[in-house]
Amino acid sequence: MSGQGLEQLVKMVNQISANMHGATDQQAADKVATHLQKFWARSMKEQILAYADDGGEDLTPISRQAVERLREVRAAG
Amino acid sequence: MLNYYDPRKDAFSRDLGTPARLSEKQIALTIDGLEITVPEGTSVMRAAALAGITIPKLCATDNLEAFGSCRLCAVEIEGRRGYPASCTTPVAEGMDVTTQNGKLAKLRRNIMELYISDHPLDCLTCPANGDCELQDMAGAVGLREVRYGFEGANHLDAETDDSNPYFSFDPSKCIVCSRCVRACEEVQGTFALTIDGRGFDSKVAAGQDEDFMDSECVSCGACVQACPTSTLMEKSVIDQGVPEHSVVTTCAYCGVGCSFKAEMKGDQLVRMVPYKGGDANHGHSCVKGRFAFGYATHKDRIKTPMIRDSINEPWREVSWEEAIQFSARRLKEIQARHGRESIGGITSSRCTNEETYLVQKLIRAGFGNNNTDTCARVCHSPTGFGLKTTLGESAGTQTFDSVMKADTILVIGANPTDAHPVFGSQIRRRLRQGATLIVADPRRIDLLKTPHGGRGLHLALKPGTNVALINALAHVVVSEGLEDKAFIESRCDTAPYQAWRDFILEERNSPEALEAETGVPAAQVREAARAYATAGNGAIYYGLGVTEHSQGSTMVMGIANLAMATGNIGREGVGVNPLRGQNNVQGSCDMGSFPHELPGYQHVADPAVRERFEAVWKVKIDDEPGLRIPNMFDSAIAGTFKALYVQGEDIAQSDPNTQHVQDALTSLDCLIVQDIFLNETAKYAHVLLPGSTFLEKDGTFTNAERRINRVRKVMPPVAGKEDWEVTQDLANALGYPMNYSHPSEIMDEIALLTPTFTGVSYAKLEELGSIQWPCNEAHPDGTPTMHEADFPIGKGQFAVTEYVATEERTTRRFPLLLTTGRILSQYNVGAQTRRTANSQWHEEDMLEIHPSDAEVRGIQDGDWLGVSSRVGHTVLRCRISDRMLPGVVYTTFHHPGSGANVITTDSSDWATNCPEYKVTAVQVEKVSQPSQWQQNFQDFDRRQKDYLENAGPDATADEPAPMGK
């Protein structure tokens, strides 16, 4: 997926970040990562990870942290 | 095989004359020498009926309070003077009643003689012949002559009112028993009928003595059912005669899930009569379920499978076998070329549980991925997420009957009298008894106009500010010490509660701080919060006005927070109740339609869950969630998603941002649509598989109160197959074997794999009539009220509900907010109701606009209005209405050509992607012609209908297509 599809995914993850809260940014990011892992399709996760690899410039700070956390979760299996 | 089974026939086939009384105190009396004990308050008539003694009656019926007007039910009571009416006389201890003797017989004959002297004697040609209580009573009292003659003053020339498309009103046959008037008041709550005039001139009148169609009548049919003669009579019975057998089944319209007797002549459906034994509706109905069934035999029904290589060519009629093979071949080719995840399917909230289960099984087991979703995505997916997170189960907590014990009823973003009419009538009944009503809605809904015994508060909030309002309500509860500390302490998890409490107490969540945001005066919010929290029993009912927002899931959690904080969970009269839109939204969610959850809301990533399913399904299940509907669209446009199997859904009309949906559908290499009509989605399809209506199949629906009800086949499917059989054929053609011979076997498999369904079987449904899940070892007869002792997750989880304003906000370019909804006579995309006479009430979707917004734009009632949002433009006719606040416009989406969803955007709920239908920033202006989209729609529609009309047998087929079309 590219262009519009990716734009939509970035919008979605930023919206999730804006709505999930934690005592610290890391806690919030963990919750967002759990949400992505639980509800997003494999292809969507792969795209957002690839986007973050490329700089992920439109991700908000929490989203960026969340995507990195998602990478760890997936690597841990 | 047609099913003639009619459960609990005895209990509900008799009319006991007056309603049941529930007193625990028992009264003993003697009737005609028989001793009987009944609850205090029971009428003598009902006591007699329970003892097996039938007292003649005309004005009494057991779904209406006694009225005592016909006097036919007179009895003698030892020690009392005269002949009291047994319907209005309550039983008393030691009472000795005589129901039959010479004096009573003479009295009753005299009364009947008077009735018959002003009644046409055309029994043989009367539509009620054989189904007329007047006729029966004349026989019962032994009327042999009418001494008064028939020449005196009479009503025999009274004119028939045929204005209603479904029933006729012939006042010449009326005996002025007032049953219709009382049914309209007591059962329906509309008060459209009255008795006009006095004495001999008394007559039944609709509205201000108008035709039924011009009056406030909502055509629910309660009066027709109550009428003891043929005065109010279904036109279908007038045309076809009295039915000869009936089958109890479940309505396929809204989420109330009313039980009906489908009354038949052979395989012809004559009328649908609400079934008294139905636990959801107790014998009431609305204009859709009662009358709008003609679509089932409409000429537009698809009767033959069809295929085509491209959507720009005519359809080819083929055999079932060829259509299924064609579909399987295309799906396999696409997967071979584009990968396992390049195809998916959509289950239907209009189909049965068994059919939905089978479609998601086909996708997970046959397609080998989790790309399954359902239309609940666009309505109640936030309910699933929000309630599961807080209360531990994705479902409403109560029965409908629970509302009769509610002291304060809080209705948020729902319009029950239009969208859930039978439950709306029940709420009205409770309001007449004095319950307090709070409505949180941008529109002034009709419930607020109900004749009411108590208080009614309207919190007219701005669209998109739900979470701010629920936080403000909760702030009042906590800051004014209205919490139920004992409940919170014993039932809720401490740390999340404390975090929530600290958050909600912040000054920024006070009604005063949020007044500017919500538009609701702080004093009103405080009054509402107190009314809810201190009522005793506070019950919340909500609809799509809660879920279809960018913070839909947050709002659902906010509602659960409020209910837990006030202890309004876990008993009758309270609870959190999502009102489901379509008949089987609850069921389709329960059956594993969502991409991340197997049946019973069991996550696909849980190895133990997958293992159980894999053992029964004998196939490996993907451990990652699949695509949701909007993700499928995005992926289709991006070119990675290539084929879709859609059963009984019309995504091209019902989903937001129509042009985006159209782009997605035209990007697919193979779209398989299974439906009863050529719906909007089918116009983009390559395979069209004929669907079957609820009358043509066996199965179950699950309503908004988790009630599993049987759907029973009353006629054969027009194209020869029930929907589940088609899915099974497709699975087999794809190489994944399915061998069910009846839906009951599918239910057995569901029960095997779904912990909340382990006790459910067709045998148990026959025995109990209906079952509310969870039904398992712990709850063998089902669970009417949830969370009585604990939550499925142990302790209730409060959730912090930070208000985040939607990005969809008004600007100078788009200064108005559009919100969408439904009306009573039409259902969802209208595919069914538009093909019935219900269209007489709603021929087109209109744009409602406030008088002040209309005035500044120079707009008048009936003008054509261009409505533009950032994604699209359409044209609707104007209706000026002050039901909304200034700045808010409203429309419905029942007609495809209206293009209501051309303007709604891709903005959606953060957690579930449920579209934000309820908030779209728009501009409105006067125009003189349809929009470009509408012109394109008309061209495309005409072309696709031509393709259907010109469909012929497949010239390239090996064997000729089946005859019969």
Side-chain angles (χ1 to χ4, degrees):
Chain A
M1 202 189 296
S2 59
Q4 191 192 8
L6 186 59
E7 206 177 288
Q8 187 64 22
L9 291 184
V10 173
K11 188 175 156 191
M12 281 163 62
V13 69
N14 285 341
Q15 199 191 352
I16 296 166
S17 298
N19 278 279
M20 288 204 126
H21 305 278
T24 63
D25 284 357
Q26 188 57 51
Q27 267 186 24
D30 287 354
K31 281 190 187 173
V32 175
T34 306
H35 186 91
L36 299 180
Q37 175 64 8
K38 201 170 166 188
F39 295 104
W40 278 28
R42 179 185 289 111
S43 57
M44 292 159 66
K45 292 173 198 164
E46 285 167 357
Q47 284 160 51
I48 205 73
L49 288 167
Y51 175 73
D53 279 344
D54 289 349
E57 57 180 20
D58 289 334
L59 293 171
T60 61
I62 301 280
S63 298
R64 197 182 296 265
Q65 223 171 320
V67 174
E68 286 320 309
R69 177 74 191 131
L70 175 70
R71 194 187 305 279
E72 291 164 27
V73 170
R74 292 179 71 75
Chain B
M1 192 184 70
L2 299 185
N3 193 334
Y4 288 69
Y5 185 75
D6 190 346
R8 298 179 292 170
K9 193 165 194 145
D10 288 334
F12 298 105
S13 59
R14 286 179 67 210
D15 183 347
L16 302 176
T18 63
R21 290 290 178 260
L22 302 173
S23 170
E24 280 176 15
K25 189 174 173 194
Q26 296 289 311
I27 304 287
L29 71 161
T30 307
I31 305 177
D32 294 344
L34 276 172
E35 280 184 23
I36 179 163
T37 304
V38 293
E40 185 177 33
T42 303
S43 71
V44 170
M45 175 181 279
R46 188 178 176 92
L50 290 168
I53 297 165
T54 304
I55 300 175
K57 63 177 183 61
L58 280 170
C59 72
T61 183
D62 62 8
N63 68 338
L64 299 174
E65 290 301 323
F67 193 55
S69 82
C70 77
R71 314 307 294 181
L72 206 59
C73 70
V75 291
E76 275 190 346
I77 298 174
E78 184 69 31
R80 295 204 190 178
R81 290 197 321 197
Y83 304 97
S86 63
C87 64
T88 50
T89 306
V91 295
E93 190 63 37
M95 195 180 244
D96 185 0
V97 181
T98 301
T99 73
Q100 300 284 357
N101 62 30
K103 278 188 212 157
L104 289 168
K106 194 173 166 196
L107 181 67
R108 290 179 186 144
R109 262 199 298 272
N110 287 342
I111 293 167
M112 278 309 292
E113 202 177 345
L114 283 163
Y115 273 119
I116 300 302
S117 71
D118 186 12
H119 192 84
L121 297 180
D122 60 353
C123 291
L124 287 180
T125 53
C126 176
N129 188 12
D131 185 21
C132 172
E133 293 181 39
L134 189 68
Q135 195 179 45
D136 295 346
M137 288 306 112
V141 305
L143 183 71
R144 298 292 173 257
E145 59 172 345
V146 175
R147 290 165 294 172
Y148 309 107
F150 299 95
E151 311 307 321
N154 61 53
H155 299 85
L156 303 186
D157 294 329
E159 265 181 49
T160 298
D161 170 3
D162 264 330
S163 61
N164 186 291
Y166 297 119
F167 61 83
S168 106
F169 172 59
D170 176 359
S172 74
K173 302 207 161 142
C174 180
I175 58 170
V176 203
C177 63
S178 298
R179 270 161 69 162
C180 54
V181 176
R182 289 181 286 141
C184 194
E185 292 175 10
E186 292 176 30
V187 179
Q188 167 57 27
T190 294
F191 294 74
L193 302 181
T194 189
I195 301 288
D196 212 33
R198 308 182 63 164
F200 184 77
D201 293 329
S202 305
K203 62 166 190 171
V204 171
Q208 305 291 313
D209 202 8
E210 306 151 273
D211 278 351
F212 269 74
M213 276 304 267
D214 297 332
S215 74
E216 313 89 311
C217 167
V218 292
S219 198
C220 69
C223 58
V224 180
Q225 202 182 343
C227 181
T229 71
S230 79
T231 308
L232 284 157
M233 178 58 88
E234 295 92 348
K235 288 183 175 174
S236 59
V237 175
I238 297 176
D239 290 343
Q240 293 166 264
V242 178
E244 41 83 15
H245 76 272
S246 72
V247 181
V248 173
T249 190
T250 305
C251 180
Y253 282 118
C254 78
V256 177
C258 295
S259 296
F260 277 88
K261 277 166 49 176
E263 298 199 344
M264 312 290 298
K265 275 167 113 69
D267 65 0
Q268 311 281 305
L269 178 57
V270 179
R271 67 176 166 189
M272 293 286 276
V273 179
Y275 178 52
K276 257 202 290 186
D279 295 309
N281 60 317
H282 305 295
H284 189 36
S285 61
C286 80
V287 62
K288 295 189 283 284
R290 177 78 153 94
F291 295 117
F293 53 81
Y295 71 87
T297 48
H298 195 274
K299 64 175 174 50
D300 290 352
R301 283 291 300 276
I302 302 295
K303 300 190 178 86
T304 317
M306 282 177 274
I307 57 173
R308 58 182 175 181
D309 290 316
S310 118
I311 68 165
N312 296 313
E313 58 185 58
W315 288 101
R316 305 195 300 273
E317 291 180 346
V318 294
S319 65
W320 275 110
E321 173 66 18
E322 193 178 348
I324 296 292
Q325 289 303 334
F326 178 89
S327 307
R329 198 168 57 238
R330 296 289 287 264
L331 293 173
K332 280 197 261 188
E333 282 168 7
I334 288 167
Q335 276 191 312
R337 214 156 134 208
H338 300 280
R340 181 170 56 87
E341 294 176 16
S342 62
I343 68 173
I346 297 177
T347 74
S348 176
S349 294
R350 295 177 208 168
C351 284
T352 63
N353 284 317
E354 293 76 2
E355 287 162 347
T356 304
Y357 173 86
L358 227 52
V359 172
Q360 63 86 33
K361 181 177 176 183
L362 165 76
I363 293 161
R364 298 185 202 278
F367 293 3
N369 63 47
N370 288 318
N371 291 333
T372 168
D373 207 358
T374 186
C375 81
R377 173 67 51 216
V378 300
C379 67
H380 266 293
S381 51
T383 290
F385 179 88
L387 294 187
K388 184 145 189 170
T389 306
T390 48
L391 308 180
E393 193 61 88
S394 302
T397 59
Q398 309 297 119
T399 61
F400 287 137
D401 286 349
S402 157
V403 79
M404 298 311 287
K405 293 189 177 168
D407 301 305
T408 288
I409 300 168
L410 172 53
V411 178
I412 311 175
N415 187 9
T417 54
D418 278 34
H420 306 88
V422 168
F423 181 60
S425 288
Q426 194 170 19
I427 297 181
R428 286 180 149 173
R429 210 169 308 141
R430 184 60 185 158
L431 295 178
R432 290 198 300 278
Q433 293 173 354
T436 299
L437 173 69
I438 305 166
V439 170
D441 202 296
R443 282 203 313 156
R444 196 175 63 244
I445 59 172
D446 285 350
L447 209 52
L448 286 158
K449 290 197 301 190
T450 265
H452 196 164
R455 268 190 302 172
L457 297 169
H458 183 199
L459 311 179
L461 75 171
K462 289 184 201 158
T465 63
N466 281 340
V467 172
L469 180 69
I470 204 83
N471 285 346
L473 287 165
H475 178 91
V476 177
V477 168
V478 177
S479 64
E480 296 191 6
L482 307 177
E483 287 170 283
D484 184 339
K485 298 262 188 209
F487 181 91
I488 296 165
E489 204 165 294
S490 64
R491 299 288 306 273
C492 302
D493 207 350
T494 314
Y497 163 67
Q498 206 51 53
W500 172 79
R501 195 173 192 280
D502 293 344
F503 157 76
I504 213 77
L505 269 176
E506 289 175 30
E507 183 51 31
R508 65 196 173 98
N509 286 319
S510 73
E512 290 73 18
L514 289 166
E515 186 174 303
E517 193 65 27
T518 63
V520 184
Q524 277 186 24
V525 176
R526 289 195 177 271
E527 185 184 356
R530 290 169 197 147
Y532 172 74
T534 63
N537 283 343
I540 301 177
Y541 295 88
Y542 71 87
L544 305 184
V546 159
T547 54
E548 289 174 347
H549 286 280
S550 65
Q551 280 200 298
S553 293
T554 312
M555 180 60 183
V556 172
M557 293 190 282
I559 287 172
N561 289 340
L562 188 64
M564 288 192 289
T566 52
N568 279 313
I569 292 271
R571 61 180 187 277
E572 280 197 285
V574 299
V576 175
N577 301 280
L579 295 172
R580 305 286 182 156
Q582 301 198 58
N583 52 325
N584 203 34
V585 174
Q586 181 69 55
S588 72
C589 297
D590 301 342
M591 290 300 105
S593 296
F594 289 139
H596 64 288
E597 281 167 340
L598 286 152
Y601 307 99
Q602 304 177 84
H603 203 279
V604 292
D606 183 338
V609 168
R610 278 201 317 280
E611 203 173 298
R612 284 196 296 113
F613 279 86
E614 285 168 350
V616 175
W617 290 1
K618 302 195 170 36
V619 68
K620 200 91 187 131
I621 298 170
D622 192 342
D623 62 353
E624 287 267 15
L627 296 166
R628 302 163 174 177
I629 293 173
N631 314 138
M632 290 181 194
F633 293 155
D634 291 339
S635 305
I637 291 169
T640 54
F641 189 75
K642 290 290 185 183
L644 186 63
Y645 169 43
V646 184
Q647 183 180 76
E649 276 306 319
D650 197 0
I651 44 181
Q653 187 181 340
S654 64
D655 285 35
N657 195 358
T658 307
Q659 293 177 88
H660 180 70
V661 178
Q662 289 169 341
D663 288 348
L665 294 178
T666 44
S667 304
L668 294 171
D669 287 347
C670 179
L671 174 61
I672 304 165
V673 170
Q674 185 173 337
D675 207 278
I676 59 175
F677 297 116
L678 180 83
N679 62 18
E680 298 313 308
T681 311
K683 291 171 187 168
Y684 296 88
H686 306 91
V687 181
L688 184 49
L689 302 170
S692 49
T693 71
F694 75 113
L695 298 166
E696 298 164 5
K697 57 195 177 191
D698 282 302
T700 56
F701 292 150
T702 306
N703 76 355
E705 35 164 24
R706 296 169 279 105
R707 188 183 300 286
I708 308 162
N709 251 319
R710 270 301 308 275
V711 176
R712 294 186 177 87
K713 184 174 177 176
V714 299
M715 57 178 73
V718 291
K721 282 185 195 287
E722 301 179 30
D723 288 303
W724 62 272
E725 294 178 285
V726 181
T727 306
Q728 171 158 298
D729 289 348
L730 186 54
N732 286 325
L734 282 165
Y736 180 75
M738 285 190 190
N739 295 296
Y740 306 98
S741 59
H742 190 269
S744 62
E745 297 170 11
I746 305 173
M747 181 54 86
D748 293 342
E749 187 175 309
I750 295 166
L752 185 68
L753 292 169
T754 311
T756 45
F757 273 65
T758 51
V760 179
S761 68
Y762 277 35
K764 187 164 243 173
L765 283 164
E766 299 299 347
E767 182 195 326
L768 299 177
S770 67
I771 301 171
Q772 286 176 278
W773 67 260
C775 174
N776 46 29
E777 245 175 57
H779 309 275
D781 290 341
T783 312
T785 306
M786 296 210 37
H787 315 314
E788 282 179 318
D790 53 15
F791 295 100
I793 42 172
K795 300 272 186 182
Q797 300 292 315
F798 278 86
V800 172
T801 51
E802 191 78 56
Y803 169 60
V804 180
T806 173
E807 287 175 15
E808 188 67 28
R809 50 178 77 109
T810 53
T811 58
R812 276 169 69 159
R813 202 169 145 223
F814 301 116
L816 301 170
L817 287 180
L818 169 77
T819 182
T820 63
R822 300 156 193 250
I823 49 114
L824 171 67
S825 56
Q826 298 285 357
Y827 177 67
N828 204 271
V829 293
Q832 293 136 292
T833 43
R834 277 185 282 113
R835 290 180 172 91
T836 70
N838 275 30
S839 288
Q840 291 185 22
W841 283 275
H842 185 83
E843 281 174 319
E844 60 180 318
D845 297 317
M846 309 278 280
L847 188 82
E848 290 186 29
I849 184 166
H850 191 274
S852 62
D853 293 321
E855 197 182 344
V856 296
R857 289 169 176 78
I859 292 168
Q860 299 194 337
D861 230 21
D863 281 351
W864 288 103
L865 300 183
V867 190
S868 313
S869 72
R870 62 183 165 82
V871 302
H873 174 68
T874 195
V875 172
L876 295 161
R877 266 196 324 134
C878 166
R879 176 180 294 142
I880 294 178
S881 159
D882 62 2
R883 290 208 294 173
M884 297 84 48
L885 297 168
V888 180
V889 292
Y890 170 85
T891 191
T892 49
F893 62 101
H894 302 302
H895 293 266
S898 311
N901 281 325
V902 174
I903 23 186
T904 54
T905 68
D906 59 1
S907 177
S908 69
D909 173 47
W910 64 270
T912 67
N913 285 138
C914 179
E916 191 171 35
Y917 289 106
K918 301 298 183 185
V919 191
T920 308
V922 296
Q923 177 58 296
V924 170
E925 61 190 343
K926 264 168 85 162
V927 293
S928 55
Q929 61 175 14
S931 71
Q932 188 58 48
W933 180 86
Q934 282 167 314
Q935 292 173 31
N936 295 346
F937 170 83
Q938 283 163 12
D939 292 344
F940 182 69
D941 180 59
R942 201 170 308 122
R943 191 148 45 93
Q944 291 299 330
K945 281 180 178 157
D946 282 348
Y947 289 157
L948 182 71
E949 270 168 33
N950 297 324
D954 185 4
T956 62
D958 296 338
E959 54 189 48
M963 301 294 287
K965 179 160 192 293

